[in-house]
């Protein structure tokens, strides 16, 4: 079980968090279908350092971005 | 036999137990294994595959053979390890995997067929017609104890804890580490799997700091939190560990094992080492034991497992056993595989000598000794053969925690690569006490990260320190040399697997089942992979180990589940008037995590009849429905309207206060996520009604979008679902009941039309009345704070009595909504359904802003004309209700192609026929067509119609 840093509450057990996947920048609707589909569906799924969204759902409710090494689970600054 | 003196047992406390029905005795402090050995029991088990007789081999978690069935009071452990279970008065112990008993096993004849049962035998033989044909009989022959039904009801508890330094292992190194870390100011948790701390000190008769070692132990742990009888069985991420605490002998009486989840900032691995067997012909005979286990039985339990003993070894550790046996009065010889032989008083030491064969009926009678090549042999009588093939550091948890291992040729062991981690004791390959203590002290200080002026403990250096001579089986054709006792894997099986191409140790393991028994190969793995290395011409380092995974020792799944089982696994939420529903005879079922009434069956009434009665009554008179589980999310703030307009598919910003609108909520994929009524309470305040099972999800979605995409908008969300109870009064006679309820609200059609709401007071109770309908009839949803739910429920039933009011359940509501074609998200829709598929295209054309999911509705796929669309279906046979999931098919020659499927179907009481909803390709263009349905090989027919079977103009909503 991971220990994750909530920006408000400090380090807490993974069980308190909800995973939100890789963040994506929402493009304006004027973009092409391909650009829009990339935003909606395509994720890099990196092995190694990976930026991802987490929500301290069982605590303060804050969503935040965390960089985690997906191979070692190390939380990176 | 039991010696007259010695051991750490309480000879004043005699215990009675039975072994396979025979009455035996032992003492408090015994394990089942030590008591059986004290009583001269040789055969304790039959092996898994060949049903060979097996005796106790080890003294702790590494025991491969002695798995027994234990009953004590109403407790039953069908697969207990006899070396771990503390003997209790009245225990009933029996062998497993033997019929009629392990001593006289009818299936023992299987062993005669061993030539035909090589490695991979099952994969090669039982494949025609299929494995499943043979599996039940093979499972009955193999396997261990039989699980009783009682286990389901046992309650296991879980605890969480944290510490600065977790020390795993309560031997000398672990205790020294805990002592040092504590002195440096850390909070220390020391976890040890024995009843008594000390590890090897329990049988070594050692001296620490110039006094008895166990006296030192007692003072060293001052201030250290200790979990005894507790096994760290798993190392997980970020310093989390799972620990199983055996509480069978808890001071308060028998208790289920307890799971601990430990979060440690730093940890010290002082996990010790496990003695390996020697691999030689017939090395599995009862009476052949680990040399160190023999020492443990002697010193811990006062048990002498044999009087005429041969100690066969390739290293110095077994000499302590030989000397202790000599001192206990046994006749002892040492067969040392190494060429030089030290002088030991009273013991003959044979150099360059190994066991070449063993014999005896029901136990051991003789051992042939000679050089490794078998060129000479001498038969020596013996009733106990104590063996040591060297030591394997217990690197399991270190490796699980991500530590790297390296093979050390000199020590013939896989050692932990300590860089950046704290390791101490024999797990590092240090075999003498002085080194273990020094390492422990250093590791404790390092883990604490602070200095201390506490002196390190000291002990005399070991006398014997000659190097080990690695020995991985003997090259003697035609012999059977056992590597994995429990799973019956021989050296020949390993070589066969190698010759068949299984060169990877992971493949070897799965093909031969080496190391896959309940002992997880603690005694066999290194021997097995060394033989594999030899057979494949590789270095042991190149072969490597199989991956170490949790659990280190068997753990009951029930202990991991803890209290999250049975009724507590996924507890249902209860409605505020749950008891009223039950009192009315409601059949409560799980709907989206809530216990809700399916219907209210009268005495002798069928479910179908109750649904028909309730639905008909709501159509033509008046029904009462508990909608309290429906979500209620309040949204407030100066930007509430603008924010919700970005979230919802439908326009909500132009909604006037006091008005309601049915709205869809989409995912960014354009797929319909939820539907519900949005009410505007005030200019800056909305009330959303998500589906009962989506409330948490909708709230999370709103928070995500607010926090990540629109953080500057002034808006806040609050889930008030549990704060309000909501009852729907529905039917032609609903208005008169709500009027009779009183309160000052104007309920006229002008003041409160369909899709409007008002806030009022019922006496001193705040109340919301909304005109919203899921039945197609005039309906009022009345909400009060949950504390008043019972009073309102009773009052509505009383006021409605003259009008014929009846409560109706979810199943009845489902019929009413299906007749109207009102969809249920997740039932009529799926992960591909877009609003246009439901015929709701208006907002897409009208709404200019980029609401969630909008852009996805403009893609070529979203605008395809042949998308599946919501339609009604009238089955050709009005008496038949098609099964949801039934496909509509286009028959094309001999084949057929799916056009979609039925999502909802029921028998409509008002139409007195079956009706269905479905998602059908180009459905709206097929109105009036009759199509084929196909389900489980059967065809039927249905006509496509508009998805509303009753009152399509909606006149009854206002009537
Ligand atoms: Zn938080």
């Amino acid at each position: 079980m991971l220990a994750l840093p909530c920006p408000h509450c400090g380090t807490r057990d993974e069980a308190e968090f909800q995973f939100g996947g890789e963040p994506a920048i929402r493009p304006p609707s004027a973009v092409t279908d391909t650009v829009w589909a990339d935003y909606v569906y395509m994720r890099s799924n990196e092995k190694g350092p990976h930026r991802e969204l987490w929500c301290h759902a069982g605590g303060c409710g804050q969503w935040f971005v965390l960089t985690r090494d997906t191979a070692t689970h190390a939380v990176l600054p | 036999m039991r010696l007259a003196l010695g051991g750490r047992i309480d000879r004043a406390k005699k215990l009675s137990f039975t072994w396979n029905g025979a009455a035996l005795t032992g003492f408090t402090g015994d394990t089942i294994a030590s008591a059986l050995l004290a009583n001269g029991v040789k055969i304790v088990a039959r092996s898994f595959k060949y049903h060979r007789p097996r005796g106790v081999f080890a003294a702790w978690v590494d025991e491969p053979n002695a798995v027994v069935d234990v009953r004590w009071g109403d407790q039953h452990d069908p697969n207990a390890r006899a070396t771990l279970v503390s003997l209790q008065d009245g225990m009933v112990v029996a062998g497993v995997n033997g019929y009629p008993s392990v001593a006289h096993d009818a299936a023992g004849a299987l062993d005669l067929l061993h030539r035909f049962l090589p490695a991979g035998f099952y994969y090669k033989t039982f494949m025609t017609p299929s494995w499943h044909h043979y599996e039940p009989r093979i499972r009955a022959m193999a396997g261990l104890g039989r699980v009783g039904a009682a286990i389901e009801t046992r309650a296991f508890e879980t605890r969480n804890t944290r510490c600065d330094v977790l020390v795993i292992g309560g031997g000398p190194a672990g205790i020294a580490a805990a002592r040092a870390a504590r002195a440096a100011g850390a909070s220390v948790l020391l976890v040890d799997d024995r009843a008594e701390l000390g590890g090897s000190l329990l049988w070594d008769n050692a001296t620490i700091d110039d006094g008895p070692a166990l006296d030192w132990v007692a003072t060293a742990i001052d201030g250290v939190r200790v979990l005894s009888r507790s096994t760290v069985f798993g190392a997980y991420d970020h310093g989390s560990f799972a620990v199983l605490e055996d509480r069978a002998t808890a001071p308060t009486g028998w208790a289920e094992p307890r799971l601990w989840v430990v979060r440690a900032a730093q940890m010290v691995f002082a996990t010790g080492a496990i003695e390996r067997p020697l691999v030689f012909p017939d090395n599995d005979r009862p009476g052949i034991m680990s040399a160190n286990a023999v020492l443990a039985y002697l010193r811990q339990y006062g048990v002498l497992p044999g009087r005429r003993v041969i100690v066969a070894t390739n290293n110095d550790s077994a000499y302590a056993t030989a000397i202790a046996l000599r001192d206990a009065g046994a006749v002892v010889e040492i067969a040392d595989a190494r060429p030089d032989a030290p002088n030991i008083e009273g013991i003959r030491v044979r150099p360059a000598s190994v066991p070449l064969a063993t014999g005896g009926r029901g136990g051991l009678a003789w051992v042939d000794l000679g050089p490794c090549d078998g060129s000479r042999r001498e038969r020596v009588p013996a009733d106990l053969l104590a063996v040591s093939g060297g030591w394997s550091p217990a690197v399991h948890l270190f490796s699980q925690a991500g530590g790297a291992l390296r093979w050390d040729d000199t020590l013939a062991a896989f050692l932990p690569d300590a860089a950046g981690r704290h390791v101490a004791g024999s797990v590092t390959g240090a075999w003498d006490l002085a080194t273990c203590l020094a390492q422990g002290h250093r590791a404790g200080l390092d883990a604490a990260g602070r200095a201390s002026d506490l002196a390190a403990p000291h002990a005399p250096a070991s006398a014997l320190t000659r190097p080990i001579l690695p020995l991985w089986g003997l090259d003697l054709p035609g012999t059977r040399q056992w590597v994995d006792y429990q799973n019956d894997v021989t050296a020949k099986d390993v070589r066969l697997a190698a010759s068949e191409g299984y060169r990877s140790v992971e493949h070897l393991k799965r093909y031969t089942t080496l190391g896959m028994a309940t002992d997880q190969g603690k005694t066999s793995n290194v021997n097995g992979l060394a033989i594999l290395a030899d057979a494949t011409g590789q270095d042991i380092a190149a072969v490597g180990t199989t991956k170490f995974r949790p659990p280190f020792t068997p753990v009951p799944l029930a202990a991991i589940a803890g209290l999250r089982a049975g009724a507590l696994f996924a507890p249902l939420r209860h409605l505020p008037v749950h008891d009223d529903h039950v009192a009315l005879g409601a059949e409560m079922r799980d709907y989206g995590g809530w216990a809700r009434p399916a219907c209210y069956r009268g005495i002798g009434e069928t479910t179908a009849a109750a649904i028909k009665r309730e639905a008909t009554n709501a159509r033509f008179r008046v029904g009462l429905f508990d909608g309290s589980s429906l979500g209620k999310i309040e949204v407030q703030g100066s930007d509430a309207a603008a924010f919700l307009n970005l979230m919802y598919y439908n326009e909500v910003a132009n909604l006037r206060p006091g008005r309601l609108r049915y709205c869809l909520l989409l995912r960014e994929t354009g797929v319909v996520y939820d539907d519900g009524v949005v009410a505007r309470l005030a200019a800056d305040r909305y009330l959303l009604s998500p589906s009962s099972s989506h409330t948490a999800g909708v709230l999370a979605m709103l928070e995500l979008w607010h926090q990540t995409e629109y953080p500057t908008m002034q808006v806040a969300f609050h889930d008030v679902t549990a704060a309000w109870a909501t009852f729907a009064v529905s039917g032609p006679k609903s208005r008169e009941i709500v009027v009779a309820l009183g309160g000052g609200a104007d309920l006229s059609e002008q003041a409160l039309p369909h899709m409007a709401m008002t806030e009022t007071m019922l006496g001193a109770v705040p109340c919301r009345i909304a005109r919203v309908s899921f039945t197609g009839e005039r309906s009022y949803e009345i909400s009060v704070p949950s504390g008043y739910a019972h009073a309102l429920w009773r009052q509505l039933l009383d006021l409605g009595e003259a009008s014929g009011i009846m409560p109706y359940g979810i199943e009845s509501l489902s019929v009413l909504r299906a007749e109207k074609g009102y969809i249920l998200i997740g039932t009529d829709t799926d992960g591909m359904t877009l609003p246009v598929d439901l015929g709701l295209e208006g907002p897409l054309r009208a709404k200019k802003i980029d609401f969630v999911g909008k852009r996805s509705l403009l893609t070529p796929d979203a605008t395809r004309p042949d998308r599946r669309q919501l339609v009604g279906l009238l089955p050709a046979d009005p008496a038949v209700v098609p099964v949801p999931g039934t496909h509509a098919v286009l028959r094309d020659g001999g084949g057929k192609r799916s056009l979609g499927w039925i999502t909802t179907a029921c028998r409509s009481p008002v139409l007195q026929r079956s009706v269905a909803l479905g998602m059908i390709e180009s459905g709206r263009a097929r109105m009036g067509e009759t199509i084929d349905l196909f389900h489980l090989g059967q065809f039927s027919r249905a006509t496509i119609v508009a998805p509303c079977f009753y009152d399509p103009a909606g006149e009854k909503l206002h009537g």
Side-chain angles (χ1 to χ4, degrees), chain A residues 5-10 12 16-17 55-62 64:
Chain A
C6 170
H8 291 321
C9 311
R12 301 296 184 97
E16 295 183 14
F17 294 86
C55 179
H56 193 196
C60 64
Q62 179 71 47
F64 57 97

Side-chain angles (χ1 to χ4, degrees), chain B residues 376-440:
Chain B
R376 285 178 290 108
R377 61 180 63 204
E378 180 183 341
R379 185 154 297 184
V380 183
D383 59 357
L384 174 66
L385 175 54
V387 297
S388 179
W391 291 80
S392 297
V395 293
H396 311 66
L397 287 163
F398 177 84
S399 176
Q400 278 184 34
L405 305 178
R406 62 179 177 83
W407 175 255
D408 186 296
D409 265 324
T410 312
L411 294 172
F414 281 101
L415 301 183
D417 180 352
R421 296 170 195 270
H422 313 295
V423 240
S426 55
V427 69
T428 70
W431 308 137
D432 84 304
L433 179 59
T435 312
C436 290
L437 289 170
Q439 284 185 345

Side-chain angles (χ1 to χ4, degrees), chain B residues 6-329:
Chain B
R8 303 184 65 77
I9 49 171
D10 185 350
R11 289 170 192 262
K13 291 184 185 152
K14 202 169 192 177
L15 307 175
S16 300
F17 72 105
T18 65
W19 165 247
N20 288 338
L24 303 176
T25 60
F27 295 107
T28 293
D30 261 328
T31 61
I32 289 174
S34 68
L36 289 173
L37 286 169
N39 283 279
V41 173
K42 300 277 189 207
I43 301 172
V44 297
R46 289 276 170 171
S47 65
F48 204 78
K49 185 171 159 190
Y50 298 124
H51 288 240
R52 300 214 358 142
R54 294 277 161 79
V56 174
F57 177 81
W60 203 236
V61 293
D62 46 332
E63 173 58 36
N65 295 334
V67 174
V68 295
D69 182 289
V70 179
R71 290 174 190 273
W72 188 49
D74 57 353
Q75 308 302 330
H76 178 210
D77 187 341
N79 284 313
R81 286 154 297 163
T83 51
L84 300 185
V85 179
S86 293
L87 188 69
Q88 305 291 333
D89 198 53
M91 265 188 173
V92 177
V93 186
V96 297
N97 203 27
Y99 179 84
S101 75
V102 291
H104 308 280
D105 179 12
L110 270 180
D111 192 40
L112 301 174
L113 304 173
H114 72 86
R115 216 175 299 283
F116 309 106
L117 299 169
F121 166 72
Y122 297 120
Y123 307 121
K124 291 165 182 163
T125 310
F126 297 115
M127 287 295 135
T128 311
S130 89
W131 163 250
H132 302 291
H133 181 72
Y134 302 97
E135 186 178 1
R137 269 169 289 167
I138 291 173
R139 292 267 182 252
M141 288 284 280
L144 300 167
R146 296 188 186 282
V147 178
I151 198 161
E152 300 298 331
T153 62
R154 291 154 66 179
F156 292 74
E157 65 171 58
T158 308
R159 288 194 179 178
N160 294 281
T161 191
R162 52 176 58 238
C163 56
D164 294 336
V165 176
L166 169 68
V167 179
I168 307 170
I175 293 167
R179 172 179 175 268
R182 181 75 198 111
S187 73
V188 182
L189 177 64
L190 172 64
V191 184
D192 184 61
D193 60 357
R194 297 173 192 274
E196 211 177 346
L197 282 182
S200 61
L201 303 176
L202 295 170
W203 55 77
D204 272 353
N205 280 359
T207 298
I208 297 177
D209 287 353
D210 308 314
L214 293 175
D215 291 355
W216 171 81
V217 170
T219 57
I221 57 165
D222 188 35
V224 171
R225 193 153 55 116
V226 177
L227 269 182
S228 279
R229 291 200 151 280
S230 301
T231 306
V232 182
F233 66 82
Y236 302 90
D237 295 302
H238 295 177
S240 55
F241 291 82
V243 180
L244 191 70
E245 182 188 6
D246 175 5
R247 299 192 298 151
T249 54
T252 49
W254 199 96
E256 299 293 351
R258 179 193 275 150
L259 180 76
W260 289 81
V261 179
V262 179
R263 178 83 70 178
Q266 294 290 330
M267 65 266 356
V268 176
F269 297 91
T271 42
I274 292 168
E275 192 170 41
R276 292 192 290 264
L278 281 171
V279 180
F280 57 89
D282 300 327
N283 58 337
D284 68 329
R285 191 174 300 279
I288 301 177
M289 297 176 66
S290 147
N292 188 250
V294 170
L295 183 63
Y297 286 115
L298 198 57
R299 292 262 171 79
Q300 276 188 274
Y301 308 104
V303 172
L304 186 61
R307 292 165 167 284
R308 233 193 130 81
V309 190
I310 294 168
V311 176
T313 185
N314 63 347
N315 68 93
D316 281 344
S317 68
Y319 279 69
T321 301
I323 292 165
L325 287 165
R326 177 201 67 191
D327 294 349

Side-chain angles (χ1 to χ4, degrees), chain A residues 1-4 13-14 18 26 28-29 31-33 36 39-41 53 61-63 72-75, chain B residues 236-238 240 261 263 668-669 700 703-705 707-710 850-853 855-856 858-860:
Chain A
M1 185 160 49
L2 308 182
L4 301 173
D13 275 352
E14 181 185 345
Q18 183 189 335
R26 192 182 201 219
S29 61
V31 296
T32 64
D33 288 336
W36 183 257
Y39 153 68
V40 175
Y41 296 105
L53 282 165
Q62 179 71 47
W63 282 94
T72 65
H73 288 321
V75 174
Chain B
Y236 302 90
D237 295 302
H238 295 177
S240 55
V261 179
R263 178 83 70 178
E668 195 73 306
T669 54
E703 283 288 353
L704 176 63
W705 279 91
Q707 291 184 32
T708 62
E709 199 68 32
Y710 305 108
D850 277 348
F851 57 84
V852 174
R855 178 63 182 81
S856 291
L858 306 172
T859 62

